[in-house]
Amino acid sequence: MKKRLTGVAIVAPLLLAQPLQAADNSVIHFALNQDIRSSQPGVNRDGNTDDVLMHVVEGLVGYREDGTVGPMLAAGWKVSDAGKTYTFTLRDGVKFHNGDPVTSNDVVWSWQHWTAPKTQWRCLREFDGSGLIHVTSVSAPDAKTVVMKLEKPVALFLDSLARTDCGAAAVISPKSVDANGKWIKPIGTGPFSFGTWKHGEYVSLMRFADYASLPGKPNGFVGGKKALVDEVRFMAVPDAATVKAGLSSGAIEVAQVSPIDASDLKKDANIGIEVAANAQRHGLLIQTNDPLLKNVKLRQAIASALDTQQIALGTSQGMATPSNSNISTASAFYTAVEKQGYRYDPTQTARLLKAAGYHGQTIEIIANKRSTVPSFDMAIIAQAMLQAAGINAKVTTMEWATQLERYQSGRYQMMAFTYSARFNPALAFEQIVGDKTKQTRKVWGDPQAIKLTDSLAYMDDKSQIQTTVDALHKQMIEQVPLIVFYPGLDIVAHRKNISGYKAWLAAAVRLWNVSKA
Amino acid sequence: MLQFLFARIMAAIPTLLLVTVLVFLLTRLVPGDPALLMLGDMATESSLADLRHSMGLDQGLLQQFLIWFGQVLHGNFGQSIQTGQAVLPLILQRFGVTLSVVLAAIVIASLLAVPAGMLAAWKQNSKWDIGLVMFSTFLLSIPSFWMGLLILLTLGLSLGWLPVVGYVSVTDNLQQGVLYLLMPVLTLVLVEIGALVRMMRASTLEVLRLDYVSHARAKGLRERTVLSRHVFPNAFGPTWTLIGLTLGNLLSGVAVTETVFSLPGLGRLLVDSIYARDYPVIQGCMLFIATLYVLTNLVIDALYPLFNPRVSA
């Protein structure tokens, strides 16, 4: 009797669990480290929110695989009036998820929706003249044409339109909001439509059968797109160990993982790993206004005391391509010049420290322990290397929100930091360069660097951009306002029955053109 | 009894008021704010100012507190900055998940720990006693996240008996819901049972040494009767209090267990809200938890006379 009861106790869960183990080839389960923030692209958002919603919505333009901008809902565009007028022609046959055809009036409505202050679109200030770009009017002269006029020509305009944190300035159906203008859900044009969102659990997207794909191969956010499964389910799984267990068990089929977890998962015969450099940048920021660190000789001493290659390889489990450039190694603007970086030279360090008049004062490196970035690891290794070179570095660990507040206010000496992805060099340098008296978050306040960075925004000639980027890079290495160790890594673990998944520059999830056997 | 309950409820009001003020102030004193977190490293001065204004964070602290407190008095805990959901329904929804795990765990843990503790005390210094004490000490020494991961890797991954990731509410699908709750419940049972066994053993040992127990045995009562009628009621009191405190603690959220098993419970909601500086949710959760703690202990105190005849209502 006892044996029988034990048998029942063991078998019962097995029987109950049967439906859970059954493979469903029409659904892909993707693990997000936390739930999305909202269903409004570019409004209340974070990286996870962008990842999910970029399957649902599309803009007039989008980023290609190499970070340049290509047409998405627009078949093409013409620039006239000395760069102040952009005339977009819409593609034929594009429909919203509710079946309505996309017209130029929808583009105008969408623009008005995003730029209405009550929408709280995070990129409103990018286009209202607060920054470089001022869109003065958007009109629809006919059903297929949209005209956007700028106050002055800014070459960065299309890049700004394509930004994923701006939701690619999505073209959405007016039926995405109710009669009172209240948001319901995104009715976009993407290969998947917005399905069910169970807060704290998952959000599911459903295949859009009438999706009008661009011709050709997949290419970043543009190019050929096809939903190959009926549903993609983004599950909120906050614990990295649980994600690993989920991948091993098959409950999760795809997930972005850390380098250390990827190393572990490589041992599992059922799991494949995809790695690509993205447009994030991991490194150490140096406060050039600090009484001690404003001395360029000391900053150069710090740079020469750090074996940046070792830091890059050590904190990425050997997966990273070390680079001191502010431009990703995957960028079209990453050339031989950008490959030149800091040289590890302890002898030079001693000489520079003497020249700087350094006498062992403590230098604090702020770091955080978020699992998604190598901040703490970079800081600890840098601390050891600096101490070995006679620099009294000390790591202080902070919670991310606290560190971010210090970054924003400029209250730090050094900080192990990860910059979010920027594909366009003008935007990548804009993140770090600026007048520090006006914007305390800026890292590099050199007037010449500011001038060069500002000029990038108005350039559309590739060779001219390259020359300016090269000049900025050389100047950055000379002045050491920050030390980049390597571009971020998009590391994706997937079950071997998943095919077609590609990691890429944007570190953004793309589950179109992905199938499940 | 009613007078006792009324007095306890009245006494709880200043506690809850103090909690509201402290929680409000502490969340605002911590560096970083939700607008900054939302904009991240790309926050320009103007976009940050816009967002702070739209969230009401540019108002004075006192004004912010009065607005929030006024809303709370009307049963409105505000809206989550992160998701825009109304805070009170969000808390209640998440609390339902926590409640289902915690209640099951505490009932099972108590049903196992009380007889085990009594057995250990009754058979003091025997193999049973040594074994139970060692086992409960072992369980006490294991952190909940490690226990959770061990169970997850064993029952979920190696044996494949139970689902590793996800959650289904028991109200949506009872069978599936129970399956998803088994591992978190087992984790909590194992984490909490050690302390309960030790407490029950200690209090039983104390009672067993009392004269009236020797007297009862001398009268020729059967050992079972001595234990159930004379020892248990007197020995159970401290364990009952511990069960109450444990229940209060667990209901406040079992963030670690919820994180390991991807359960959308109250603890995870609170932790996520703290990281995101989602002030309305943090404040709402803390007020809810404080109220819950007070109420749980009130119920435990009210039921105390049922188990301990020396305490009258």
Side-chain angles (χ1 to χ4, degrees), chain B residues 250-288:
Chain B
L250 294 181
L251 286 177
S252 313
V254 277
V256 173
T257 308
E258 286 169 0
T259 302
V260 169
F261 294 105
S262 325
L263 292 178
L266 187 65
R268 220 178 96 193
L269 176 69
L270 180 58
V271 172
D272 288 348
S273 310
I274 291 169
Y275 282 133
R277 300 290 191 274
D278 194 341
Y279 297 146
V281 179
I282 300 172
Q283 288 158 198
C285 281
M286 292 306 291
L287 189 56
F288 183 80

Side-chain angles (χ1 to χ4, degrees), chain A residues 294-353:
Chain A
K294 69 181 177 191
N295 186 333
V296 71
K297 296 275 181 216
L298 181 55
R299 297 202 302 271
Q300 287 168 344
I302 289 170
S304 66
L306 296 172
D307 186 341
T308 58
Q309 286 222 349
Q310 281 302 312
I311 295 176
L313 295 171
T315 58
S316 68
Q317 302 290 309
M319 293 182 189
T321 308
S323 162
N324 300 134
S325 168
N326 190 42
I327 305 292
S328 171
T329 51
S331 166
F333 296 98
Y334 187 82
T335 64
V337 174
E338 279 67 36
K339 283 182 186 164
Q340 303 302 314
Y342 303 106
R343 200 161 59 85
Y344 173 56
D345 186 350
T347 319
Q348 176 81 336
T349 307
R351 196 182 62 74
L352 286 165
L353 284 177

Side-chain angles (χ1 to χ4, degrees), chain A residues 43-371:
Chain A
V43 178
N44 182 3
R45 49 70 59 189
D46 58 8
N48 287 335
T49 313
D50 297 343
D51 279 347
V52 171
L53 294 179
M54 290 307 288
H55 289 75
V56 178
V57 299
E58 295 167 331
L60 291 170
V61 293
Y63 281 111
R64 295 193 188 102
E65 204 80 20
D66 63 357
T68 57
V69 176
M72 184 60 247
L73 292 179
W77 61 83
K78 270 193 328 201
V79 184
S80 57
D81 192 17
K84 289 196 287 183
T85 301
Y86 285 75
T87 305
F88 297 92
T89 309
L90 297 184
R91 280 198 286 133
D92 289 323
V94 180
K95 286 180 183 172
F96 287 117
H97 297 143
N98 61 0
D100 292 348
V102 176
T103 68
S104 54
N105 283 333
D106 296 315
V107 180
V108 175
W109 181 90
S110 299
W111 184 260
Q112 286 167 347
H113 170 77
W114 298 127
T115 52
K118 69 170 186 178
T119 304
Q120 294 178 13
W121 188 37
R122 66 169 291 159
C123 296
L124 173 61
R125 293 290 195 176
E126 302 291 335
F127 297 99
D128 72 350
S130 304
L132 297 170
I133 306 164
H134 187 193
V135 178
T136 51
S137 74
V138 178
S139 59
D142 63 57
K144 287 284 162 202
T145 310
V146 177
V147 179
M148 299 181 100
K149 292 198 170 186
L150 311 185
E151 188 182 283
K152 57 181 180 182
V154 182
L156 211 51
F157 174 59
L158 292 176
D159 270 279
S160 300
L161 275 186
R163 274 171 57 175
T164 51
D165 60 309
C166 301
V171 176
I172 53 168
S173 163
K175 288 170 188 164
S176 301
V177 300
D178 68 13
N180 299 317
K182 196 178 168 204
W183 183 257
I184 306 170
K185 66 173 185 177
I187 300 175
T189 57
F192 291 93
S193 64
F194 197 82
T196 312
W197 180 14
K198 290 205 100 177
H199 293 269
E201 295 177 44
Y202 66 86
V203 54
S204 68
L205 308 182
M206 312 309 289
R207 187 169 70 91
F208 178 39
D210 288 338
Y211 179 69
S213 173
L214 279 163
K217 288 182 178 171
N219 190 359
F221 282 119
V222 298
K225 295 187 199 176
K226 192 171 183 188
L228 299 177
V229 288
D230 291 341
E231 179 186 345
V232 288
R233 187 171 287 203
F234 292 88
M235 303 166 75
V237 188
D239 186 58
T242 312
V243 172
K244 271 166 67 182
L247 282 162
S248 297
S249 73
I252 295 169
E253 280 118 6
V254 195
Q256 283 174 324
V257 295
S258 67
I260 196 153
D261 285 343
S263 301
D264 284 349
L265 287 163
K266 270 181 188 169
K267 296 166 196 157
D268 190 327
N270 296 313
I271 292 173
I273 304 285
E274 297 279 334
V275 185
N278 65 39
Q280 293 177 328
R281 285 132 291 152
H282 303 305
L284 285 177
L285 313 187
I286 303 177
Q287 180 50 272
T288 55
N289 282 345
D290 181 77
L292 194 61
L293 293 166
K294 69 181 177 191
N295 186 333
V296 71
K297 296 275 181 216
L298 181 55
R299 297 202 302 271
Q300 287 168 344
I302 289 170
S304 66
L306 296 172
D307 186 341
T308 58
Q309 286 222 349
Q310 281 302 312
I311 295 176
L313 295 171
T315 58
S316 68
Q317 302 290 309
M319 293 182 189
T321 308
S323 162
N324 300 134
S325 168
N326 190 42
I327 305 292
S328 171
T329 51
S331 166
F333 296 98
Y334 187 82
T335 64
V337 174
E338 279 67 36
K339 283 182 186 164
Q340 303 302 314
Y342 303 106
R343 200 161 59 85
Y344 173 56
D345 186 350
T347 319
Q348 176 81 336
T349 307
R351 196 182 62 74
L352 286 165
L353 284 177
K354 200 173 171 191
Y358 177 72
H359 297 297
Q361 297 96 319
T362 305
I363 296 174
E364 184 188 48
I365 306 173
I366 294 174
N368 70 80
K369 283 193 167 180
R370 285 186 303 160
S371 61

Side-chain angles (χ1 to χ4, degrees), chain A residues 155 413 516:
Chain A
Q413 286 187 295
K516 182 177 168 185

Side-chain angles (χ1 to χ4, degrees), chain A residues 21 23-25 27-31 243-257 265 267-274 492-501 511 514-517, chain B residues 156-157 164:
Chain A
Q21 307 296 333
D24 182 352
N25 293 344
V27 185
I28 291 178
H29 298 88
F30 186 98
V243 172
K244 271 166 67 182
L247 282 162
S248 297
S249 73
I252 295 169
E253 280 118 6
V254 195
Q256 283 174 324
V257 295
L265 287 163
K267 296 166 196 157
D268 190 327
N270 296 313
I271 292 173
I273 304 285
E274 297 279 334
V492 175
H494 61 85
R495 300 281 300 175
K496 290 255 171 91
N497 62 342
I498 297 290
S499 48
Y501 194 93
L511 291 172
V514 176
S515 62
K516 182 177 168 185
Chain B
L157 196 57
V164 173

Side-chain angles (χ1 to χ4, degrees), chain B:
Chain B
M1 183 57 150
L2 280 176
Q3 209 175 0
F4 165 77
L5 287 176
F6 183 73
R8 289 295 303 268
I9 291 168
M10 286 295 111
I13 290 174
T15 309
L16 293 177
L17 275 176
L18 190 65
V19 167
T20 56
V21 175
L22 279 178
V23 168
F24 186 89
L25 282 178
L26 288 174
T27 51
R28 293 322 199 267
L29 288 176
V30 176
D33 69 50
L36 189 55
L37 277 169
M38 214 179 271
L39 295 173
D41 62 3
M42 298 157 283
T44 62
E45 310 299 317
S46 53
S47 61
L48 199 54
D50 286 350
L51 198 53
R52 281 181 176 148
H53 176 69
S54 70
M55 290 174 177
L57 297 175
D58 54 348
Q59 296 174 354
L61 266 190
L62 182 65
Q63 201 177 352
Q64 287 183 47
F65 177 75
L66 290 176
I67 291 169
W68 174 71
F69 193 65
Q71 287 176 333
V72 169
L73 288 179
H74 289 90
N76 176 8
F77 280 50
Q79 283 188 319
S80 162
I81 290 170
Q82 262 188 298
T83 64
Q85 290 176 282
V87 170
L88 191 55
L90 178 64
I91 289 173
L92 292 175
Q93 182 198 338
R94 296 297 188 95
F95 178 63
V97 178
T98 304
L99 186 69
S100 57
V101 177
V102 167
L103 269 189
I106 208 81
V107 167
I108 295 169
S110 303
L111 288 175
L112 293 172
V114 170
M118 282 191 75
L119 177 69
W122 185 50
K123 300 269 185 190
Q124 194 188 8
N125 298 328
S126 69
K127 284 179 184 171
W128 279 101
D129 183 28
I130 294 167
L132 281 165
V133 169
M134 277 178 65
F135 187 57
S136 51
T137 309
F138 171 70
L139 291 178
L140 266 174
S141 62
I142 299 181
S144 59
F145 76 90
W146 199 60
M147 179 71 81
L149 281 177
L150 277 183
I151 290 172
L152 185 88
L153 294 176
T154 311
L155 298 183
L157 196 57
S158 300
L159 298 171
W161 289 357
L162 294 166
V164 173
V165 174
Y167 170 75
V168 173
S169 168
V170 285
T171 54
D172 292 344
N173 183 326
L174 184 64
Q175 183 193 346
Q176 297 270 309
V178 168
L179 276 177
Y180 279 96
L181 291 183
L182 282 176
M183 287 198 286
V185 167
L186 180 61
T187 305
L188 288 184
V189 166
L190 292 177
V191 166
E192 299 301 336
I193 201 170
L196 294 176
V197 168
R198 296 296 300 263
M199 176 60 83
M200 193 63 202
R201 178 183 176 275
S203 55
T204 306
L205 275 178
E206 208 175 294
V207 174
L208 280 171
R209 287 183 192 126
L210 295 176
D211 288 345
Y212 81 93
V213 176
S214 307
H215 183 73
R217 283 173 173 157
K219 277 200 313 186
L221 285 179
R222 282 190 308 164
E223 196 60 16
R224 184 187 292 180
T225 314
V226 172
L227 288 173
S228 61
R229 282 201 196 155
H230 297 283
V231 176
F232 173 73
N234 288 296
F236 185 55
T239 310
W240 178 243
T241 307
L242 183 63
I243 290 171
L245 288 171
T246 309
L247 185 64
N249 277 333
L250 294 181
L251 286 177
S252 313
V254 277
V256 173
T257 308
E258 286 169 0
T259 302
V260 169
F261 294 105
S262 325
L263 292 178
L266 187 65
R268 220 178 96 193
L269 176 69
L270 180 58
V271 172
D272 288 348
S273 310
I274 291 169
Y275 282 133
R277 300 290 191 274
D278 194 341
Y279 297 146
V281 179
I282 300 172
Q283 288 158 198
C285 281
M286 292 306 291
L287 189 56
F288 183 80
I289 287 167
T291 310
L292 196 70
Y293 208 86
V294 167
L295 286 177
T296 309
N297 283 286
L298 194 65
V299 172
I300 292 292
D301 285 353
L303 293 177
Y304 204 79
L306 290 178
F307 302 104
N308 193 339
R310 287 176 301 181
V311 180
S312 66

